[in-house]
């Protein structure tokens, strides 16, 4: 049977651990000097520099063009109002009103927040011809776009959740 003192100590230790963990994760995020929700300058940062800044899972998808496993991303079945930003540089990418339900396994949008939010590149990997979607600010790989989306654009921007950061709001 735990005494009040041991419960208090346990609670204090957990708070200290999680507080330290939160402070470390916040500190880690703040180590990225290129991250901004308002900057519009194009970034020219080497992959060796990004590798020092980004978490390994994000680096692998965003900078090496990997794909997260279908149906596992945190935004796949996510339905809140707000804005999606590039997890690498903070560039605004999509608003929640352009997100739609799909069975492809990744969060999908029918249009970017503005024309220059994203860039496109031909992707012929895996013996397919697709259009890769890159962040318009930092050139990070976000996913691919397909011509099987809903109106009004007919596009399906199929994005990797790990490359997105969601900020709730009235969008």
């Amino acid at each position: 049977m735990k005494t009040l003192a041991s419960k208090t100590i346990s609670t204090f230790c957990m708070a200290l651990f999680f507080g330290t963990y939160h402070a470390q994760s916040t500190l880690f995020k703040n180590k990225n000097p290129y991250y901004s929700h308002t900057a519009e300058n194009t970034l020219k940062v080497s992959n060796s520099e990004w590798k020092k800044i980004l978490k390994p899972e994000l680096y692998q998808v965003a900078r090496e063009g990997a794909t997260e496993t279908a149906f596992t991303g945190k935004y796949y079945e996510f339905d809140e109002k707000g804005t999606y930003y590039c997890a690498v540089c903070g560039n605004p990418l999509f608003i929640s009103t352009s997100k739609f339900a799909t069975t492809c396994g990744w969060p999908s949008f029918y249009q970017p927040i503005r024309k220059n939010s994203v860039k496109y590149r031909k992707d012929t990997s895996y013996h397919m011809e697709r259009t890769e979607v890159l962040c318009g600010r930092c050139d990070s790989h976000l996913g691919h776009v397909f011509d099987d989306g809903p109106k009004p654009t007919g596009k399906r921007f199929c994005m990797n959740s790990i490359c997105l950061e969601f900020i709730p709001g009235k969008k």
Side-chain angles (χ1 to χ4, degrees), residues 46-66:
S46 69
N47 275 347
S48 60
E49 180 70 12
W50 283 126
K51 195 168 194 168
K52 294 175 193 172
I53 297 169
L54 304 175
K55 292 180 179 179
E57 311 82 46
L58 177 56
Y59 179 84
Q60 185 180 19
V61 176
R63 303 308 304 174
E64 294 181 340

Side-chain angles (χ1 to χ4, degrees), residues 96-113:
S96 58
T97 54
S98 70
K99 189 173 188 282
F100 63 96
T102 179
T103 58
C104 71
W106 294 273
S108 296
F109 304 85
Y110 62 78
Q111 69 184 12
I113 198 167

Side-chain angles (χ1 to χ4, degrees), residues 8-64:
T8 304
I9 291 170
S10 293
T11 304
F12 174 76
C13 289
M14 287 184 67
L16 182 62
F17 171 77
F18 286 112
T20 302
Y21 173 77
H22 175 72
Q24 288 173 343
S25 64
T26 302
L27 178 63
F28 178 82
K29 190 172 190 175
N30 293 338
K31 279 186 177 180
N32 185 345
Y34 308 105
Y35 194 91
S36 171
H37 286 180
T38 58
E40 294 185 17
N41 60 313
T42 301
L43 294 173
K44 297 296 179 196
V45 179
S46 69
N47 275 347
S48 60
E49 180 70 12
W50 283 126
K51 195 168 194 168
K52 294 175 193 172
I53 297 169
L54 304 175
K55 292 180 179 179
E57 311 82 46
L58 177 56
Y59 179 84
Q60 185 180 19
V61 176
R63 303 308 304 174
E64 294 181 340

Side-chain angles (χ1 to χ4, degrees), residues 121-131 144:
R121 179 169 58 197
K122 184 178 180 179
D123 177 2
T124 57
S125 62
Y126 304 107
H127 307 290
M128 295 185 275
E129 189 169 310
R130 303 178 290 176
T131 302
H144 293 87

